[in-house]
Structures are given as C-alpha cells and as structure tokens.
Amino acid sequence: STRHIISYPTMTMTKSMDNAPISDVAQVANKNVTSESDYWNSFYSKFNVSHPSQFCVMTAVEAERDRPIVEFGCGNARDSIYFASHGYTVYGCDLSQPAIDKNSEKSKDIPSLEFKVVDASNADQVQGIVDKARAESNADNVNVYTRFFLHSIDEIQQAKLFAALSNVLVAGDKLYFEFRSKMDESL
C-alpha cells in the first residue's frame, strides 16, 4: 500500500540521525549521482503524463496557497504544473537536467513555476531551494512535497535529505510525502 505523510509543524528523525552532521551521513555510502541522473534522463525522455496524481490533487485541497511548494523529484512536472495552475508558487526540483529543461519549456507561460536541478542528497542544494522559495514568496512557511520519490532513492540519500530538511525547515512548514516502503513487497 502507499504511505502518506502530512506533517506539521515539526519534523522528527530516527534517534540515530538526530543531530548527526550531514558530513557523517555522507560518509556512509559513495553514491554515483552521475549514473543516477543518466537513468532519470533516459526515463523522462520516454515518459510523459500530463494529468496530476491523486495525491497532488488531495494536497492542493489541503495545503495553504500562500505558502510556496518545493517539490523534490518533480520528474515530468505533472504535479508541479497542476499546483501552479491552481494558485501555488512552485519550485520543481529534479536530478535530471533534460527533465528540468523540458519542464521549463512546456511551462514557460506559467510565471509562478520554476524548475531547478537539485540533488536532494546535497544539503547545500536543498537548503538553497527552500531558502529561495521562502524568500521569493515572502512567506514565513513552505510546503515540501514529494510523490513516489523517497522509494527511488536509497536510505543514505533519504537520511541526507531528512538531515538537510531538518536544518532548513522551521515550525509551521509542512511536509506532504507519498511513498512506498519495504513493507509494500509483502502486500
């Protein structure tokens, strides 16, 4: 089954990751981001869905429109475009430069939507995009959104993302995550 997290106003992490410097987390694995981006570049060159996910539509009903949405793993932008066309300011992030280029081109007439290549396991990039969303929107709080992203990265990358988010998010920020887990295999 699919898991949903809607979190407010604070974020908790497992005890082993609390207060762990991101550099310590980074030493656990040696990921090849280039090969991962090559995979997603190929995947999104062939994959194009234009309707939003059900989770996106539910989130659009629940989330406050005066807060920007930062989407990690935006892929082909189907959810980012939906959010922006329904009154949200959206920052869609993905590791795939070709996907970001394609998304930027097809949404060039939507002023409240920006796409950026972001490695979600890079703390500086995560902080940079969240800070940018908060500053450019003159918003005290942000919404962070991912759909079927967490299960596409490994546990080390997840830990890096969560550590980065825990350092940049503030009380009142909200997380909207839909994901699969290892437990789904037994269903």
Side-chain angles (χ1 to χ4, degrees):
S1 71
T2 301
R3 310 285 190 264
H4 298 107
I5 291 181
I6 300 174
S7 174
Y8 15 21
T10 61
M11 188 170 109
T12 59
M13 298 176 58
T14 61
K15 194 168 197 160
S16 64
M17 292 308 301
D18 282 349
N19 302 317
I22 294 172
S23 59
D24 291 350
V25 177
Q27 292 174 356
V28 179
N30 183 14
K31 294 293 293 180
N32 184 339
V33 173
T34 302
S35 64
E36 288 184 20
S37 65
D38 290 344
Y39 170 81
W40 293 111
N41 293 345
S42 174
F43 181 84
Y44 284 112
S45 71
K46 303 170 197 152
F47 183 78
N48 190 19
V49 176
S50 59
H51 61 279
S53 68
Q54 290 179 337
F55 183 65
C56 169
V57 174
M58 184 212 67
T59 300
V61 170
E62 297 289 326
E64 288 120 31
R65 282 186 175 72
D66 62 342
R67 297 176 181 199
I69 292 178
V70 177
E71 180 181 6
F72 291 102
C74 69
N76 69 356
R78 68 192 229 171
D79 290 350
S80 293
I81 291 170
Y82 182 85
F83 286 131
S85 66
H86 285 81
Y88 291 93
T89 298
V90 181
Y91 297 83
C93 308
D94 202 277
L95 187 59
S96 171
Q97 181 70 58
I100 293 300
D101 292 343
K102 190 175 184 181
N103 295 344
S104 296
E105 178 60 31
K106 71 181 173 184
S107 65
K108 63 185 174 194
D109 296 328
I110 306 173
S112 62
L113 180 55
E114 180 179 332
F115 291 100
K116 183 171 179 66
V117 172
V118 172
D119 176 356
S121 65
N122 180 305
D124 292 335
Q125 291 180 26
V126 170
Q127 180 167 349
I129 195 66
V130 172
D131 286 345
K132 179 179 181 156
R134 197 182 311 276
E136 289 183 356
S137 301
N138 293 317
D140 291 332
N141 294 110
V142 299
N143 297 307
V144 177
Y145 175 88
T146 69
R147 180 184 173 273
F148 287 5
F149 173 68
L150 291 179
H151 67 267
S152 72
I153 60 177
D154 65 31
E155 290 178 5
I156 301 305
Q157 291 169 308
Q158 289 174 20
K160 289 178 182 182
L161 172 62
F162 291 143
L165 289 173
S166 72
N167 287 328
V168 72
L169 296 181
V170 299
D173 290 345
K174 292 186 182 175
L175 305 175
Y176 296 89
F177 289 359
E178 181 179 36
F179 56 93
R180 298 181 192 269
S181 74
K182 291 178 183 178
M183 295 185 304
D184 290 336
E185 294 172 4
S186 65
L187 297 177

